[in-house]
Amino acid sequence: MHASTSVQTPALRSVGNIVTGDDVQTQVIINCGALPCLLALLSSNKDGIRKEACWTISNITAGNSSQIQAVIEANIVPPLIHLLQNGDLKTRKEACWAISNATSGGLQKPEQIRYLVSQGCIRPLCDLLACPDNKIIQVALDGLENILKVGDLDKQASGGPEAINRYALFIEECGGMEKIHECQNNANEEIYMKAYNIIEKYFSDEDEGADEMGQAGQNGGTFGFGTNGGAAGGQTGAFNFANGADSMDM
C-alpha cells in the first residue's frame, strides 16, 4: 500500500465507487486484496481516510453473505466497531452503515450476527439512536432488529420457560431499550413504527416486569396498531451511496 495519503485518497475513492456496484464488481475488489488495505486505512491518522474506508467497507458488507464473511475473516470488525464507538460523528455514521449491513445475513447466517455482538456492536448502535440524523437512526434500528431476531432464534433453540433473548437483555442493560422507546416520539413515521414494533415484539415482557417496580412501559396500549407483524425487514442489499458525492475531510 502506498504510504502517501495524497495517493491513498483518490485510490480509496475509486475502490469505494466500484463497490457501490453489484456483487461481481465487489468480488473483484476483494479478490484484488483490498480488505487488508482497508483494515490498515481504518487506523489512518487522517479523519477523512478513516471515514472513507468505513464507507467503502459498508458497501462491501451490503453484498452477499460470503462477502460479509470475507470482511469478518480479514479482522476488520474490531477496529470498525472501535470507530463506531469512538470516531468523529461522520465516521461513526459510515461505520454504522457497515455494521448494520453486516447484520443482513440475519437468520440465514446467525453466526455472523453472534460474532458482531461478541465484538461489542450493540452499545454503539444503541448510542447512535440519539443522533440527530434520522437516516442513521433507521440504519441503527435495522441492525438492532436483525440482532434481536437472532436472539429470538437462540431463545427458541434453548427452550424452556426460563429462556430469554440475551440480545434484548444486552440492549436493555446498555440503555438501548429507553432509546428505542424515545424513537417512538420521532416525527418520522418509519422510525416511529419500527421502534414501536421492536418494543412490542422483543421488550413487552420486560415492560410488564418494570410495571411491577413502578416503572410503567411508555407504550401501554396508547398506539392503535393492532399487530406486531409490521416490523420492517433488515438492511439487505442496502448500499450506502450517501458519501459518494462528498469531498474527503483531510
Side-chain angles (χ1 to χ4, degrees):
M1 189 172 69
H2 204 284
S4 170
T5 57
S6 64
V7 176
Q8 291 172 3
T9 298
L12 180 57
R13 173 50 64 97
S14 299
V15 169
N17 285 336
I18 291 170
V19 296
T20 62
D22 59 25
D23 288 356
V24 174
Q25 292 163 326
T26 296
Q27 194 60 47
V28 170
I29 293 297
I30 293 173
N31 293 347
C32 287
L35 292 178
C37 297
L38 290 168
L39 173 62
L41 291 173
L42 289 176
S43 302
S44 171
N45 59 4
K46 299 288 187 181
D47 289 346
I49 288 180
R50 293 197 300 271
K51 181 191 76 170
E52 198 88 356
C54 289
W55 170 65
T56 301
I57 293 164
S58 78
N59 283 313
I60 296 174
T61 58
N64 58 48
S65 59
S66 67
Q67 290 166 345
I68 294 171
Q69 190 62 34
V71 170
I72 290 172
E73 291 173 1
N75 294 317
I76 283 173
V77 170
L80 191 62
I81 290 176
H82 176 77
L83 289 174
L84 178 64
Q85 181 76 66
N86 301 297
D88 63 276
L89 184 57
K90 289 182 179 179
T91 302
R92 289 172 67 205
K93 288 179 179 181
E94 300 300 342
C96 180
W97 274 100
I99 294 297
S100 183
N101 285 349
T103 69
S104 64
L107 300 181
Q108 287 69 46
K109 291 288 182 179
E111 66 277 5
Q112 292 180 342
I113 288 182
R114 293 185 192 110
Y115 171 75
L116 293 170
V117 172
S118 76
Q119 296 304 305
C121 73
I122 285 181
R123 181 180 294 276
L125 285 176
C126 289
D127 289 344
L128 278 173
L129 295 177
C131 87
D133 186 330
N134 275 352
K135 187 59 187 176
I136 295 304
I137 292 173
Q138 284 182 285
V139 172
L141 283 172
D142 283 338
L144 290 168
E145 184 176 39
N146 289 336
I147 289 167
L148 285 163
K149 287 176 182 176
V150 172
D152 218 35
L153 181 72
D154 292 346
K155 173 184 173 181
Q156 293 168 20
S158 64
E162 301 302 317
I164 61 168
N165 185 328
R166 292 182 303 123
Y167 298 159
L169 184 61
F170 293 168
I171 289 171
E172 186 175 6
E173 287 175 345
C174 70
M177 188 179 76
E178 288 80 5
K179 290 185 176 74
I180 297 170
H181 265 304
E182 289 164 9
C183 286
Q184 293 178 139
N185 298 321
N186 195 296
N188 181 293
E189 187 175 356
E190 288 184 26
I191 292 175
Y192 160 64
M193 284 298 301
K194 181 173 285 293
Y196 172 79
N197 286 319
I198 289 173
I199 291 293
E200 281 293 291
K201 184 167 185 179
Y202 299 106
F203 295 100
S204 58
D205 290 344
E206 285 81 351
D207 281 350
E208 289 167 9
D211 287 343
E212 295 174 5
M213 296 182 289
Q215 298 174 350
Q218 296 178 19
N219 66 321
T222 58
F223 299 103
F225 309 100
T227 67
N228 302 340
Q235 194 68 22
T236 306
F239 288 99
N240 173 15
F241 297 102
N243 194 41
D246 294 347
S247 59
M248 272 196 178
D249 302 321
M250 302 305 290

